[in-house]
Amino acid sequence: TALISMYAKCGALSLAKEVFQELPVRDVVSWTALIAGYAQNGLGNEALECFGQMREKGLLPNAVTFTCLLKACSILRLIQTGEEIHGEVLKQGLLEKDFALGSSLVDMYMKCGAIGKAERVFEELPVRNIVSWTALIDGYVQHGFSDEAFFCFDVMMEENVSPTHVTYTTLFNLCANQKWLAKGRHLHACLKNKIKMESSIDLDMVLGNALINMYGKC
């Protein structure tokens, strides 16, 4: 399974599949490693086809399998398949045990344009972490709901959820596109305070470029 995962993460999916086929026993973990490899490399159809074969073998998917399948649905914009997976996740009670699944559901519905469903999933999550908040914010930005994206950021900060590089980069790019200098400066102040208070974040190349781009476009 580690070999499958290594080859898949290196983009060598033919080698990953070759190792998989040579396994004397294929359990849900090895199947999931292959499905994850396809999803991570943007091959949604292959991931779903692999899942179908896994089910034919009578194997029950776990939370990681479902997370990878939701990514495949996001790639292909297959909301119906995503809803079926959502139903299976609820049936197994996995949302209360695996926070990544909730974020993946929010992201899938947003990518498929079902903003209302994404919001409902988000509101019903037992724990809303930075990944789920960022999925919601990114979805709003993608669909042009700029005010909602910033409202989310404010609420997130009030709930003491700490933004990541991805959150800041998304919002700096939004400020650049909307020519929102005041909001951009507010974000920059939040970022500088975070850098000062924490060692978990610094001004890397991607974040720095987004900041320069924001000021330049404003």
Side-chain angles (χ1 to χ4, degrees):
T1 300
L3 274 168
I4 294 166
S5 181
M6 180 275 293
Y7 280 129
K9 285 180 179 176
C10 291
L13 289 166
S14 60
L15 291 172
K17 189 174 181 180
E18 187 178 312
V19 172
F20 177 80
Q21 290 173 338
E22 290 173 358
L23 290 177
V25 177
R26 299 170 197 163
D27 61 5
V28 65
V29 182
S30 53
W31 276 100
T32 298
L34 190 59
I35 291 169
Y38 285 131
Q40 288 162 5
N41 286 276
L43 301 172
N45 284 319
E46 287 81 351
L48 293 173
E49 183 181 331
C50 195
F51 174 62
Q53 293 170 2
M54 185 186 107
R55 291 305 293 265
E56 287 174 5
K57 302 293 183 183
L59 292 170
L60 188 67
N62 59 26
V64 180
T65 319
F66 284 127
T67 300
C68 298
L69 292 170
L70 288 169
K71 184 175 180 62
C73 292
S74 298
I75 293 166
L76 299 169
R77 306 294 191 264
L78 291 177
I79 189 168
Q80 186 174 347
T81 306
E83 287 174 331
E84 291 170 4
I85 293 168
H86 188 184
E88 191 63 33
V89 165
L90 293 176
K91 186 178 176 182
Q92 294 189 31
L94 294 174
L95 278 181
E96 296 172 3
K97 304 170 189 175
D98 192 287
F99 303 145
L101 259 178
S103 303
S104 296
L105 277 167
V106 173
D107 183 65
M108 182 275 295
Y109 280 125
M110 277 294 191
K111 291 271 186 2
C112 292
I115 297 169
K117 290 186 177 181
E119 290 170 334
R120 283 194 293 276
V121 170
F122 181 80
E123 291 296 330
E124 292 169 3
L125 290 178
V127 175
R128 295 184 287 194
N129 61 14
I130 183 55
V131 182
S132 52
W133 275 106
T134 301
L136 191 67
I137 290 170
D138 187 55
Y140 281 138
V141 171
Q142 286 174 14
H143 293 287
F145 291 88
S146 306
D147 291 329
E148 287 81 354
F150 260 96
F151 177 76
C152 275
F153 177 77
D154 291 336
V155 175
M156 185 182 80
M157 295 295 278
E158 288 172 9
E159 293 188 6
N160 295 315
V161 178
S162 186
T164 65
H165 286 68
V166 177
T167 321
Y168 278 116
T169 300
T170 299
L171 290 172
F172 280 136
N173 288 335
L174 173 61
C175 290
N177 293 332
Q178 296 292 335
K179 310 293 191 292
W180 282 346
L181 180 58
K183 288 183 177 181
R185 292 176 112 171
H186 169 67
L187 273 177
H188 191 187
C190 292
L191 175 61
K192 285 197 285 189
N193 186 57
K194 182 177 172 68
I195 291 172
K196 183 179 178 181
M197 300 295 291
E198 300 178 23
S199 60
S200 62
I201 192 170
D202 57 11
L203 195 62
D204 69 0
M205 184 69 74
V206 174
L207 191 52
N209 286 343
L211 189 53
I212 292 166
N213 182 53
M214 182 274 294
Y215 280 124
K217 286 192 173 175
C218 290

